[in-house]
Amino acid sequence: MVTNETAHVRSDIVALPAFDINKADTSILQTINGIGSVLSNRIVTFRDKLGGFIHKSQLYEVYNLDSAVIENLFDVGFIEEGFEGRLIDINTITEEALAAHPYLSWKQARLIIAYRDQHGEFYSEDDLMKVYSLTETDLIRISPYIQWATPN
């Protein structure tokens, strides 16, 4: 049986305003389909340990965050162009604080500090590459978060 009734369309659905993922709190993240309290907390915790998201691809590193959910997030969320993460002063940071960064292990942090104690300050990526156990991939990932010493 065919009727001429028109389907009711909800007119109270409002598009989410765009937001900066590096400034979003858990409640804003939970407005994204697929992100609840657990995932929003994981995103914020990882972001804070990291020093901020520089690239969209870093969201794939958040434990149990599905790629479809990441795409939903980027429908309204963005990373500010030119965003620079919170810097680590590689020449003054403690081993514990360095090991807390998601891109370094305790062993790598310990070796970096030991190398710094034996050889002096780090001035560039080349200096950091001299540390045993750091790979080129490690260096690419951590470099945007490093503050180097300036030569006198």
Side-chain angles (χ1 to χ4, degrees), residues 9-21:
V9 178
R10 289 183 59 181
S11 61
D12 60 343
I13 297 175
V14 178
L16 295 172
F19 62 87
D20 185 342
I21 294 170

Side-chain angles (χ1 to χ4, degrees), residues 62-127:
V62 176
Y63 176 73
N64 215 23
L65 189 58
D66 185 78
S67 59
V69 174
I70 293 170
E71 292 307 315
N72 289 342
L73 178 56
F74 273 95
D75 284 343
V76 290
F78 62 89
I79 295 172
E80 183 180 317
E81 191 173 327
F83 173 79
E84 292 184 15
R86 184 179 61 250
L87 297 179
I88 299 166
D89 186 338
I90 195 71
N91 293 301
T92 61
I93 193 167
T94 65
E95 179 181 327
E96 293 78 18
L98 190 57
H101 196 280
Y103 288 165
L104 295 172
S105 68
W106 272 100
K107 179 182 178 183
Q108 289 171 320
R110 185 173 49 251
L111 291 170
I112 289 169
I113 301 305
Y115 189 92
R116 182 183 71 197
D117 290 346
Q118 291 175 358
H119 300 280
E121 294 185 326
F122 294 101
Y123 293 97
S124 69
E125 294 174 354
D126 291 337
D127 290 342

